[in-house]
Amino acid sequence: MNSSFPDSLLAELSAWVAARTALHFPREKWGDLARKASSAAQEFGYADVEAFIHWLVSSPLSHEQVEILASHLTIAETYFWREPQVFAALGEQILPEMIRAREVCAGKQGDRRLRIWSAGCATGEEPYSLAIALRRALPTLAGWRITILATDINPRILRRAAAGVYGEWSFRNAPPWLKGGYFSQRPGGKWEILPEIRQMVTFAYLNLAEDVYPSPLNNTNALDIIFCRNVLMYFVPERARQVGLHLYNALVDGGWLMVASSELSQGVFAQFAPVNFPGAIVYRKKALQAPPWVDFRPEEPLPLTAMVLPPVEPPLPRRQRETTPPGETALPPTAHAQASDLYTDGRYVEVIEQPKGVETPGSSALAVRALANRGELTEALALCEQIIAANKLDPGMHYLGATILQEQNREGEAIAALKRALYLDPNFALAHFALGNLLLRQGNVPLARRSFQNVLALLGAYQQDDILPESEGLTAGRFREIIQATIKTGALGVA
């Protein structure tokens, strides 16, 4: 422990950090907390670390300041091909079999799509490693729709990651073929990732402890593989379990979750089935009713030993968990309320299979979202179009259709759908944001900048805690912070 700080001050700092960030620093980690606080103090302009801690625990910090602090408290060493046994399992078994299954089903119910998320990507070595592993397993990307999303809470780190330039230390565990095959050498001992690899990765701002996911709003739905390593180890246990459940819901049936070997936990990941690979254990979302293109059935059995946990009882819908005051009779929930609770709990099949004749516009929209979150995009778009045909003046459904079209890489049609939504509701903040992101992907920075400016202007009419329409619970205040971070990450220069 760092003896320069009194125990009482570190105890106060630890309690404040847990309350504000959900990060967990018990007494045995106070020395680590002190070192990380010293690093953060420099960024906040404090030469005296003890004075910085006193200021920290007594000041109302903005979300941006809290997240800058959190980026220091959770910073971990990262490098290419970290835990090579996991990448061996990914490159030699998981990806080849997933690709084979998608190829078999292409043109039938499924399609050639792979969606991967590096959650807590730091300076980018992990998502670029994932992109390289995918290119080695799938040398020709033609005809495939590939998404590799990389998120972090620190926009400055994301800018460094997007630049794709690294020193020798980032390659300390890399296989010998990595640098020569996927990097170009630069002066000063630096190495730059090849453009074709860099273009496979999309960097975005996201806070795992606070933001809404799975959601098409931030591209965190219907994922095949999630890497979330050396992140949850910092969270208080209850928040770690909540994040674990959200990650579970973000995966398609049969999808895979990779966490650090030190984070393997039956308590946090009880809903997953752990699977043994040589030298590594990874988690898999058990496929209850998996569509054929995510079914993991190789022609030849893989050398896997599945350690399936005892079945976990699904949580009760939220309204069944709530208590009714004594003497009062609980009102039966509406069809939309039932669907909403099931959707929030990740019980997508039940949302989709709601009894015919009791749907409401809201519950039907949830069925569209549930289909999209399961990766059933063709069915989701068909249902969305059916709802629009019955009510062409619903801007929310045009927006929802646009999110599905974007996932299908039909960007021109997605932009047209967003413009229809904005024609029907010019104040639709989420539609402006989605349009800005699409325009930015197409390299149209001036129009993207205008869209983000529109969003910020519209948010001025909302209170901080107002829930935005079609946002799945996102508040106006949080959305404003996300946009400001997006602006910083994308270097758009929006005022």
Side-chain angles (χ1 to χ4, degrees), residues 471-491:
S471 72
E472 302 184 63
L474 184 66
T475 66
R478 185 62 186 157
F479 194 34
R480 185 179 293 108
E481 292 160 358
I482 289 170
I483 293 166
Q484 290 168 343
T486 301
I487 289 165
K488 292 177 182 177
T489 303

Side-chain angles (χ1 to χ4, degrees), residues 134-182:
L134 182 55
R135 282 302 296 267
R136 288 171 65 83
L138 186 63
T140 301
L141 300 182
W144 283 83
R145 292 188 285 109
I146 304 297
T147 298
I148 301 177
L149 173 68
T151 66
D152 203 272
I153 64 172
N154 190 329
R156 281 172 289 185
I157 284 179
L158 288 171
R159 287 199 296 272
R160 286 175 53 194
V165 178
Y166 298 95
E168 291 290 343
W169 190 237
S170 291
F171 299 92
R172 59 189 179 276
N173 201 47
W177 48 260
L178 189 77
K179 280 194 300 187
Y182 297 94

Side-chain angles (χ1 to χ4, degrees), residues 144-361:
W144 283 83
R145 292 188 285 109
I146 304 297
T147 298
I148 301 177
L149 173 68
T151 66
D152 203 272
I153 64 172
N154 190 329
R156 281 172 289 185
I157 284 179
L158 288 171
R159 287 199 296 272
R160 286 175 53 194
V165 178
Y166 298 95
E168 291 290 343
W169 190 237
S170 291
F171 299 92
R172 59 189 179 276
N173 201 47
W177 48 260
L178 189 77
K179 280 194 300 187
Y182 297 94
F183 291 80
S184 57
Q185 193 164 11
R186 294 184 55 177
K190 299 292 185 181
W191 295 84
E192 182 175 5
I193 194 85
L194 295 181
E196 56 264 33
I197 301 298
R198 180 167 50 226
Q199 291 163 9
M200 293 175 65
V201 181
T202 299
F203 291 95
Y205 164 86
L206 188 139
N207 185 332
L208 280 172
E210 292 192 1
D211 288 330
V212 178
Y213 57 96
S215 172
L217 175 65
N218 48 30
N219 212 19
T220 55
N221 63 317
L223 291 153
D224 297 297
I225 298 168
I226 299 175
F227 271 60
C228 184
R229 303 192 296 174
N230 301 295
V231 177
L232 298 187
M233 61 189 286
Y234 291 105
F235 287 175
V236 295
E238 179 56 33
R239 186 62 62 87
R241 283 191 290 271
Q242 291 172 356
V243 173
L245 179 59
H246 290 316
L247 295 176
Y248 180 86
N249 290 339
L251 286 164
V252 296
D253 289 341
W256 299 86
L257 171 67
M258 283 70 167
V259 299
S261 56
S262 60
E263 295 173 308
L264 295 167
S265 166
Q266 183 172 343
V268 175
F269 305 108
Q271 57 271 60
F272 287 90
V275 180
N276 275 342
F277 288 90
I281 299 174
V282 301
Y283 288 115
R284 190 172 183 216
K285 181 173 180 177
K286 289 183 288 185
L288 301 177
Q289 292 182 334
W293 61 93
V294 297
D295 204 9
F296 193 78
R297 284 181 279 188
E299 295 173 355
E300 296 296 330
L302 290 176
L304 307 181
T305 303
M307 300 185 300
V308 181
L309 295 169
V312 179
E313 290 296 323
L316 289 172
R318 182 167 293 98
R319 293 173 199 281
Q320 293 183 31
R321 293 193 288 256
E322 295 171 352
T323 57
T324 302
E328 295 186 16
T329 302
L331 295 174
T334 65
H336 176 61
Q338 288 178 318
S340 180
D341 287 342
L342 292 169
Y343 181 85
T344 301
D345 289 330
R347 296 163 68 177
Y348 299 136
V349 172
E350 294 172 68
V351 175
I352 296 163
E353 295 179 349
Q354 57 189 327
K356 299 303 177 185
V358 300
E359 301 100 324
T360 65

Side-chain angles (χ1 to χ4, degrees), residues 455-473:
V455 179
L456 292 175
L458 289 169
L459 290 178
Y462 290 88
Q463 298 296 319
Q464 285 285 103
D465 295 329
D466 287 346
I467 303 295
L468 294 172
E470 308 295 333
S471 72
E472 302 184 63

